[in-house]
Amino acid sequence: MDTTEKMKIRQSIIEIMKTEQNRLERSISKREKIIRAYPDGALRCYTNGKYYSWYVFKDEGAGDDIKKTHTLIPKTDRELAVRLAKKGYNEHALKIEKAELKAITAFVKHYPKSAPGQDYLENCDEHKRLLGPKFVKINYTEEQWKWMTAERRWPQPHPEKLTVPTILGFNVRSKSESEIVTSLATRGIAFRYEWPLFLKDDPYPKFPDFTIQDPSSGGAVIYEHLGIMDDETYRRDSAEKIKNYIINGYFPGEDLFLSYETSGRKFTSLDADSFVAGAFADPFNKG
């Protein structure tokens, strides 16, 4: 159960309690009026094992001179006994209702308005990412999910190296890529991971890290995260990859985006979110 569902339940509980609070207030007011219309005194019943006797108990006098009296009610005055019985019932019911109202009023006053942990989570989105996938809210439309989960036309290379989990349930090749997935998912930016891309004059596909769906044009935007740029071979291969993208009409800053890291300069979750926001979220939202 996510936080939104918990909040709906809590709000329902509060509304139910407030409704009962209002009902009790009306009932108490009505019952007090009814009690005032009954005769003075309280009914007491005694038995000798075979028959009952009815007595009316009263407090008579004032101040320090109050005396408790009890008077036998004749069997011929059954109506008085009935009215005192009804009075006693209503007085007991009134006592219980007042206790209920007191308890519910205290409950409504002190019942936390937020679900456990909600305020902490709303304080900073980074808290959600640090706590793990179940705390991150993902807002993809049905159409986006359909596009993202389409059947692959070509298997990913070296699937045994897909060892790092993501919040969407599939694995990627590095922690940095997992952070990128989190940033894309939490911002509702549809993407495909290592989706085959065929360039001209090459019968074999390339597998860009991320293929982003441009919501305005429906076209593909390539995002490559270059993870070990202080490695000479990796750097040379990356330069060749970028050149091929440009030759095929993918230009940096337009439909080709690149982020970098080295062994000494790691790509953090904040870096990922900042890059995704600048490259995709803000420009895409304008469309």
Side-chain angles (χ1 to χ4, degrees):
M1 184 183 299
D2 62 22
T3 302
T4 301
E5 291 174 327
K6 290 178 181 178
M7 283 303 300
K8 288 181 179 178
I9 292 173
R10 299 177 82 81
Q11 189 59 41
S12 297
I13 291 172
I14 292 174
E15 291 303 320
I16 290 171
M17 288 298 167
K18 285 184 176 179
T19 299
E20 182 65 4
Q21 186 180 32
N22 292 333
R23 186 196 70 79
L24 284 168
E25 288 173 347
R26 293 193 300 270
S27 180
I28 288 170
S29 178
K30 181 179 178 181
R31 206 178 292 278
E32 287 176 334
K33 187 179 296 185
I34 290 172
I35 290 171
R36 287 195 294 270
Y38 286 122
D40 290 340
L43 177 68
R44 297 288 187 273
C45 298
Y46 297 96
T47 180
N48 60 7
K50 188 175 182 180
Y51 301 104
Y52 274 97
S53 298
W54 307 323
Y55 287 83
V56 56
F57 276 64
K58 295 182 180 180
D59 289 334
E60 296 184 346
D64 295 333
D65 295 328
I66 292 179
K67 295 181 179 180
K68 293 185 180 293
T69 65
H70 61 285
T71 305
L72 179 67
I73 301 174
K75 293 295 183 178
T76 55
D77 199 359
R78 180 180 177 84
E79 179 61 24
L80 175 60
V82 169
R83 287 174 59 77
L84 288 174
K86 290 181 178 179
K87 179 183 180 183
Y89 170 82
N90 278 281
E91 286 178 333
H92 184 268
L94 179 65
K95 179 181 177 181
I96 298 301
E97 285 181 335
K98 285 184 175 181
E100 287 180 331
L101 179 61
K102 182 179 180 181
I104 290 176
T105 301
F107 177 88
V108 171
K109 180 179 179 181
H110 298 291
Y111 188 68
K113 301 302 184 291
S114 62
Q118 180 195 6
D119 294 339
Y120 179 80
L121 292 175
E122 291 182 351
N123 184 52
C124 177
D125 287 339
E126 184 65 6
H127 292 170
K128 302 174 186 177
R129 286 187 281 268
L130 290 171
L131 286 168
K134 71 176 183 178
F135 292 94
V136 179
K137 187 176 183 180
I138 299 169
N139 290 315
Y140 281 129
T141 64
E142 184 177 345
E143 291 75 15
Q144 285 176 312
W145 273 119
K146 185 176 180 180
W147 181 82
M148 291 170 62
T149 57
E151 185 177 356
R152 287 183 173 274
R153 298 171 296 167
W154 204 286
Q156 291 171 270
H158 303 292
E160 73 280 0
K161 295 183 178 180
L162 298 168
T163 59
V164 181
T166 69
I167 64 170
L168 296 183
F170 64 87
N171 287 1
V172 293
R173 300 181 190 275
S174 69
K175 184 176 182 298
S176 297
E177 288 183 341
S178 180
E179 298 289 3
I180 292 168
V181 169
T182 297
S183 295
L184 292 169
T186 54
R187 291 180 179 275
I189 301 171
F191 70 93
R192 289 169 171 171
Y193 179 69
E194 291 190 346
W195 196 258
L197 174 69
F198 289 88
L199 303 178
K200 61 184 178 180
D201 301 326
D202 190 342
Y204 298 100
K206 303 299 180 187
F207 292 88
D209 294 334
F210 301 94
T211 301
I212 312 293
Q213 186 182 42
D214 187 332
S216 58
S217 67
V221 176
I222 303 304
Y223 174 21
E224 290 277 10
H225 177 69
L226 308 176
I228 46 176
M229 289 301 286
D230 47 350
D231 180 90
E232 184 177 350
T233 301
Y234 183 89
R235 187 167 58 245
R236 184 170 58 249
D237 292 344
S238 297
E240 184 66 22
K241 181 192 297 185
I242 295 168
K243 183 181 76 173
N244 287 334
Y245 283 142
I246 294 173
I247 290 173
N248 282 268
Y250 293 93
F251 298 104
E254 295 183 9
D255 41 24
L256 173 62
F257 290 86
L258 308 166
S259 56
Y260 311 86
E261 70 178 297
T262 66
S263 58
R265 174 63 173 86
K266 294 299 182 182
F267 195 72
T268 67
S269 60
L270 292 177
D271 294 326
D273 200 51
S274 177
F275 186 89
V276 167
F280 307 114
D282 296 339
F284 280 26
N285 287 340
K286 292 177 183 177

